[in-house]
Amino acid sequence: MEQEKYEVKKAAGHPVLVQVPGSKSITNRALLIAALADGVSTLYGVLFSDDSRHFLKALEDLGFPVEIDEPNAIVKITGFGGKIPKNEAGINVGSAGTAARFLTAYLGISGGNYHISSSEQMKKRPMEELLTALEEMGSCIAYPEQPYHFPVVIKNDSPVKKQEVTIDVDKSSQFLSALLISSVLFEQDFIIHVKGHHGMADVDMPVKMMEQFGVQVIRQSADTFRIPGDAFYRAGEYRIEPDVSAASYFYAMCPVLKVPAKVENVHWNSLQGDTFFLHVLEEMGCHSKEETDGICLYPPEDGKIQGGTFDLSAFSDQTLTLAAIACFADSPVIIKGIAHIRYQECDRIHAILYNLKQMGIRGKETAEGELTIYPGKPHAGEIHTFEDHRVAMAFSIPGLVTDQIVIENPMCCKKTFENYFEVLEQSVCI
């Protein structure tokens, strides 16, 4: 679908049943853990997208043996117990926030000379808190362009030695995840103090994944983590869950289309915090039933979508999804805990308000980043994606019941779900 614009097709009105790709969050965490392990790890259900391809290419550029079987979604990585095969290398993380944060932490803690470049979009995203923490630990980092933004040059004569650090997560919990995953590089206990509370639910995922690969993270308090000095990752086989962030777009179609929706192999015991979005949809009148092949969500029995106030701080990627369907509610929808999404792939609060206006829907924001969206009937309009994959996917949902909703630059979805619109047509519109 190499096209500049895509007009969303009207839904056919049948139940939604769909498969989605593997989790982006789990894929990129598993790639790094496999590289840090000692031996060959085989990952199944890998997501192949712009983000994961940048991550894989970076690992190859660092010298790691990588075998890729894209048709079967399998990757094999040979790790060397934390050692980076090349002592000097250049990598490009593209627009992948996970690759940017995770690989910067890994290289910043290690000895060697590494140049990290990125896309123009990634140059604008927050990195200072992680880079400052690495410098405080003893990492030598230079900034050829703008301080605390990509590109960066890391030149450490030897691995850093400081065993304790404080990290501010108010702009991104990935800073903490990055340090946690690479903490096995230390020979003594490593302690991380956390400042701020944004996205702490997302940290449960890397902690559980580290445990699955053999590393126990000790939570000494709500804001303090300790990783034993003798910790190491065990190489092996690992299956990646379906992407619940991607699944949520299809679940959000349930109340709008008034049909059941099921995403195969999505279950409540998922590692991914975005399953909480299904509870938001339940508060809006839907109800769910977990079945052997996945959770099935059913629309409100009276057909009415209820408004209300929702705190999305623990799963903020779904702010766009909720905002895109909020106009169909019977009362205003207020979304809280999302101020930080101004600093993601784009200013997502601005993107929401801009595109709601394009469809004739009224919304407002507060200085604290709280959004209020009022009920209304959307009309034809062009959705400006701001090069943000989640804007494109979320704002396709109103187009399933509204004529002439056009998505500009639909291929920005390549970042995480490159065939989203093909899957949408096959599962919903045909």
Side-chain angles (χ1 to χ4, degrees):
M1 187 187 295
E2 294 294 338
Q3 59 193 75
E4 293 182 0
K5 296 182 180 181
Y6 173 81
E7 184 172 336
V8 182
K9 295 176 175 59
K10 298 288 283 291
H14 53 66
V16 177
L17 177 63
V18 65
Q19 288 183 330
V20 298
S23 164
K24 179 196 78 167
S25 298
I26 296 178
T27 290
N28 286 348
R29 285 160 176 78
L31 292 176
L32 180 57
I33 291 174
L36 286 161
D38 191 5
V40 178
S41 293
T42 303
L43 309 178
Y44 298 95
V46 173
L47 168 69
F48 286 96
S49 66
D50 275 0
D51 279 15
S52 60
R53 291 190 184 100
H54 272 103
F55 209 125
L56 286 163
K57 180 64 165 58
L59 291 177
E60 290 176 323
D61 290 342
L62 291 169
F64 289 95
V66 178
E67 297 178 33
I68 300 171
D69 179 359
E70 192 161 328
N72 292 305
I74 299 172
V75 169
K76 290 185 179 181
I77 298 175
T78 302
F80 303 95
K83 178 177 173 55
I84 300 171
K86 291 185 179 180
N87 193 51
E88 185 170 343
I91 64 171
N92 188 317
V93 297
S95 297
T98 45
R101 279 74 181 255
F102 295 174
L103 290 170
T104 296
Y106 183 14
L107 301 179
I109 293 171
S110 304
N113 187 353
Y114 303 104
H115 184 281
I116 309 176
S117 58
S118 75
S119 69
E120 290 300 315
Q121 184 191 64
M122 192 63 222
K123 287 181 181 181
K124 300 173 185 176
R125 295 181 64 184
M127 283 293 298
E128 182 172 358
E129 291 79 359
L130 176 60
L131 291 164
T132 300
L134 291 170
E135 288 177 335
E136 290 174 356
M137 292 164 64
S139 186
C140 297
I141 306 175
Y143 306 96
E145 294 183 12
Q146 186 177 353
Y148 299 108
H149 292 270
F150 288 118
V152 301
V153 178
I154 297 171
K155 193 170 184 179
N156 295 333
D157 293 334
S158 61
V160 300
K161 300 296 184 183
K162 188 177 178 182
Q163 304 295 132
E164 192 167 352
V165 71
T166 298
I167 186 72
D168 187 332
V169 300
D170 270 341
K171 290 183 179 175
S172 177
S173 63
Q174 289 179 1
F175 301 150
L176 173 57
S177 296
L179 293 174
L180 282 170
I181 294 171
S182 289
S183 62
V184 296
L185 297 171
F186 293 92
E187 295 180 356
Q188 299 177 5
D189 288 8
F190 182 58
I191 297 174
I192 305 173
H193 302 285
V194 181
K195 178 183 177 183
H197 296 93
H198 157 60
M200 289 300 288
D202 291 340
V203 177
D204 292 339
M205 179 195 296
V207 168
K208 290 175 182 175
M209 289 183 67
M210 291 170 71
E211 291 173 353
Q212 290 169 339
F213 279 88
V215 172
Q216 184 73 32
V217 178
I218 300 166
R219 194 87 177 253
Q220 294 189 168
S221 69
D223 301 320
T224 304
F225 298 80
R226 178 167 62 86
I227 300 86
D230 59 356
F232 65 95
Y233 294 120
R234 294 192 299 265
E237 296 186 344
Y238 189 81
R239 182 162 294 279
I240 292 163
E241 299 176 1
D243 195 307
V244 178
S245 295
S248 294
Y249 304 117
F250 295 94
Y251 281 122
M253 296 170 194
C254 165
V256 174
L257 302 182
K258 298 179 171 56
V259 297
K262 180 190 290 185
V263 182
E264 294 185 12
N265 300 313
V266 170
H267 293 281
W268 289 120
N269 64 356
S270 169
L271 294 175
Q272 301 164 71
D274 277 10
T275 52
F276 286 110
F277 181 65
L278 275 72
H279 293 310
V280 169
L281 295 173
E282 288 176 328
E283 289 183 52
M284 299 178 83
C286 297
H287 60 282
S288 66
K289 181 180 180 182
E290 184 167 20
E291 300 174 349
T292 56
D293 59 344
I295 297 169
C296 188
L297 191 71
Y298 295 90
E301 292 181 0
D302 61 3
K304 295 180 180 179
I305 304 173
Q306 300 170 24
T309 300
F310 306 98
D311 186 338
L312 267 60
S313 56
F315 47 104
S316 60
D317 274 352
Q318 295 313 314
T319 305
L320 283 153
T321 319
L322 178 56
I325 68 169
C327 63
F328 299 106
D330 61 5
S331 61
V333 170
I334 300 170
I335 309 175
K336 302 171 62 174
I338 56 166
H340 61 280
I341 70 171
R342 289 193 177 102
Y343 309 103
Q344 295 182 311
E345 280 84 342
C346 70
D347 179 341
R348 286 179 168 170
I349 292 178
H350 170 71
I352 287 168
L353 293 172
Y354 178 91
N355 286 308
L356 289 173
K357 186 176 181 180
Q358 290 293 97
M359 300 189 301
I361 300 301
R362 187 163 64 98
K364 68 177 184 180
E365 67 174 313
T366 67
E368 294 75 28
E370 182 176 293
L371 272 174
T372 301
I373 300 162
Y374 297 92
K377 184 176 182 180
H379 59 56
E382 286 199 359
I383 303 302
H384 184 48
T385 62
F386 299 90
E387 297 291 327
D388 189 329
H389 58 132
R390 300 209 182 280
V391 175
M393 291 186 280
F395 277 92
S396 69
I397 302 173
L400 298 172
V401 294
T402 306
D403 289 323
Q404 297 180 319
I405 295 294
V406 176
I407 310 293
E408 299 174 358
N409 187 25
M411 287 311 293
C412 66
C413 293
K414 290 193 298 183
K415 180 174 172 64
T416 54
F417 196 165
E418 58 190 13
N419 64 336
Y420 170 78
F421 288 102
E422 295 172 21
V423 173
L424 180 67
E425 289 186 16
Q426 293 168 4
S427 60
V428 179
C429 303
I430 296 175

